[in-house]
Amino acid sequence: MAIFTTPAGSKQETDLLPPTNIVGAYIPDTPAPTAETVEPTEPAVRYPLTDAERDVVERVVMAEAGGESFEGQMLVAQCILNAAEKRGVEPSEAVALYSYTKSRPDPTQRVKDAVAAVFDRGETVVDEPILYFYNPALVTSDFHESQIFVIEEGGHRFFAERSTR
C-alpha cells in the first residue's frame, strides 16, 4: 500500500506505484529495510600462550611485581612479551634470557588479569618497546640506566633498548 499526492494536490491510497511523470511525495507505508546488525568480534589474541607458558609468565610477574599496581604488573608482562617477540622465542625462554627472578610464587587474580590484558588483549601501558626494568631500592644498574628510560611505576624503572647502531 502506498500514499501519493496527485497533480491536483489530493492524497490517494493505492496498491500501485504513482505514475512516474508526476512530481509528488511517495510515502511507502512499509518501513525501509534496516541494515544488518554486525556483532562485534573479539580482538585477536596478541600472543597466544599455552597453559604452561601462561603459568610461567603469571608467576614471574607475581614475583617481580605482585605488590605493585595493576599498571606495574602490566609493565612487567609487557617487558616479557616484547622480549619474546624481539627474540622470536617463547616467553619462558625470554624470562631466562633476560634474567628474571627465579622465584615463582602463586599468582593473584590481579596478576592473572594483568597478564591477560597484555598477552590476550594486546593492551599496553606505554607505546615504547620496553624490555628492561629494575628496582633501584634493591640494586644499582649502570646497564639499565644506559638504556632509554621510559617510565617509573611503583618501585621499578622501565627502559627501552638503546640502539647500538
Side-chain angles (χ1 to χ4, degrees):
M1 184 69 66
I3 300 173
F4 68 94
T5 305
T6 66
S10 65
K11 295 191 188 272
Q12 290 192 351
E13 234 180 78
T14 180
D15 288 331
L16 304 173
L17 294 176
T20 57
N21 63 348
I22 297 177
V23 177
Y26 171 67
I27 306 167
D29 65 349
T30 57
T34 58
E36 274 189 48
T37 304
V38 177
E39 293 295 321
T41 58
E42 286 291 318
V45 172
R46 176 160 173 194
Y47 191 106
L49 291 170
T50 64
D51 290 344
E53 287 292 323
R54 185 173 302 277
D55 185 61
V56 168
V57 173
E58 289 171 350
R59 288 173 181 276
V60 170
V61 171
M62 183 67 192
E64 296 283 8
E68 299 291 332
S69 68
F70 186 75
E71 289 77 16
Q73 294 167 357
M74 282 182 64
L75 285 162
V76 171
Q78 191 176 338
C79 284
I80 296 169
L81 174 59
N82 290 342
E85 289 177 337
K86 178 179 179 8
R87 293 289 189 102
V89 298
E90 293 180 354
S92 59
E93 293 175 70
V95 164
L97 289 169
Y98 285 77
S99 302
Y100 288 92
T101 183
K102 301 217 182 317
S103 175
R104 300 290 187 271
D106 290 335
T108 62
Q109 186 58 52
R110 191 169 75 153
V111 164
K112 290 178 180 186
D113 293 344
V115 169
V118 172
F119 281 82
D120 300 343
R121 296 189 300 278
E123 296 175 24
T124 58
V125 177
V126 295
D127 292 333
E128 291 82 358
I130 55 175
L131 290 171
Y132 311 110
F133 65 91
Y134 82 107
N135 184 337
L138 301 176
V139 297
T140 59
S141 177
D142 291 337
F143 167 76
H144 286 89
E145 293 298 333
S146 72
Q147 302 304 305
I148 300 168
F149 173 74
V150 175
I151 190 172
E152 185 164 345
E153 175 63 33
H156 293 90
R157 291 174 56 82
F158 294 85
F159 301 84
E161 189 169 46
R162 184 168 304 282
S163 175
T164 55
R165 295 185 235 173

